[in-house]
Amino acid sequence: KQEVTQIPAALSVPEGENLVLNCSFTDSAIYNLQWFRQDPGKGLTSLLLIQSSQREQTSGRLNASLDKSSGRSTLYIAASQPGDSATYLCAVIHPPPNYGGSQGNLIFGKGTKLSVKP
Amino acid sequence: DVKVTQSSRYLVKRTGEKVFLECVQDMDHENMFWYRQDPGLGLRLIYFSYDVKMKEKGDIPEGYSVSREKKERFSLILESASTNQTSMYLCASSFMGLEAFFGQGTRLTVV
């Protein structure tokens, strides 16, 4: 059974630092991997999707990498700001039934709670 | 922009009531999901659907059922609400296992 782990569970950094959030998964037969942000009491906001054929994706100050063979993904945040404070979640996506797979659901890690202090 | 809309942000229901949580997406996505999120347990999949009238059980389907009569709408039903179903419920949709989009969440309290 797929297990997704995010380390660290919580992280506090001063404004301006570059930081890396880690995500590992036990079964490398994933379809895609997606990173989300969640603010307290809110839904999830999609940040980046990395398809299995890709090794990285970039959006603004965010860069996500994927190494399927080692079961790891990292989210790099450059020049962190207080507005980046949130919980960051990674999710692996298995091939859906309508794409030749049998699952299709997202399996989540428990997240990294980031606090960026001014 | 993709929009996934959940019918309520906050709900308070009594034990034993039948509860309906509605989710609508506007991007013609095949896949729709219901998760619940609890502190320390993370997001856990309740049910998902990859086509109209199709449904698959997730990790914690007990006490829940779902309905997908139209492609854009996926309903979660608590047959007889219990206090241990107090939680944040999150609906999502995606196209063929690509980027998933979530609604704003429904905070359900069962008293």
Side-chain angles (χ1 to χ4, degrees):
Chain A
K1 184 182 176 183
Q2 179 74 268
E3 291 185 7
V4 181
T5 304
Q6 290 187 248
I7 294 173
L11 183 62
S12 181
V13 300
E15 182 177 4
E17 268 203 15
N18 302 325
L19 55 99
V20 175
L21 307 181
N22 296 294
C23 173
S24 62
F25 46 95
T26 54
D27 182 353
S28 63
I30 65 169
Y31 193 56
N32 297 317
L33 185 142
Q34 191 168 357
W35 282 91
F36 295 89
R37 168 191 173 129
Q38 186 177 31
D39 294 294
K42 301 288 179 65
L44 277 64
T45 300
S46 176
L47 296 174
L48 289 163
L49 173 77
I50 310 177
Q51 298 188 46
S52 58
S53 58
Q54 299 172 320
R55 291 194 63 86
E56 65 177 70
Q57 275 284 3
T58 298
S59 176
R61 293 183 294 110
L62 305 179
N63 175 277
S65 67
L66 173 63
D67 184 343
K68 277 183 61 176
S69 60
S70 67
R72 293 172 189 257
S73 177
T74 61
L75 179 67
Y76 174 82
I77 303 177
S80 58
Q81 303 170 358
D84 294 331
S85 298
T87 297
Y88 290 80
L89 295 143
C90 74
V92 299
I93 306 171
H94 285 269
N98 50 3
Y99 222 73
S102 61
Q103 298 183 49
N105 54 297
L106 292 81
I107 301 170
F108 285 86
K110 292 186 178 178
T112 294
K113 186 174 182 179
L114 174 65
S115 175
V116 181
K117 301 197 180 303
Chain B
D1 277 354
V2 174
K3 198 166 225 181
V4 179
T5 303
Q6 295 183 227
S7 52
S8 305
R9 284 281 285 128
Y10 300 96
L11 272 180
V12 180
K13 296 291 182 181
R14 296 196 178 276
T15 301
E17 275 193 75
K18 191 169 186 176
V19 180
F20 294 84
L21 302 183
E22 306 285 346
C23 176
V24 177
Q25 50 94 3
D26 66 359
M27 283 301 290
D28 203 35
H29 284 168
E30 275 76 7
N31 300 332
M32 296 190 75
F33 311 88
W34 276 107
Y35 289 85
R36 66 177 281 178
Q37 185 177 31
D38 300 287
L41 297 177
L43 278 93
R44 293 178 291 167
L45 181 68
I46 305 171
Y47 270 98
F48 74 100
S49 168
Y50 56 90
D51 203 349
V52 175
K53 297 191 187 294
M54 305 298 286
K55 60 186 179 184
E56 293 280 343
K57 291 181 180 179
D59 299 319
I60 51 164
E62 296 78 19
Y64 303 93
S65 62
V66 290
S67 172
R68 193 163 181 205
E69 296 296 319
K70 292 186 177 181
K71 193 174 186 180
E72 67 269 20
R73 186 179 297 268
F74 193 35
S75 302
L76 180 69
I77 304 154
L78 286 66
E79 298 291 343
S80 177
S82 64
T83 54
N84 63 13
Q85 292 178 310
T86 291
S87 187
M88 171 72 104
Y89 289 87
L90 293 160
C91 174
S93 73
S94 72
F95 176 71
M96 299 285 195
L98 296 177
E99 190 174 9
F101 296 89
F102 278 77
Q104 77 276 31
T106 296
R107 172 73 66 183
L108 173 67
T109 302
V110 182
V111 298

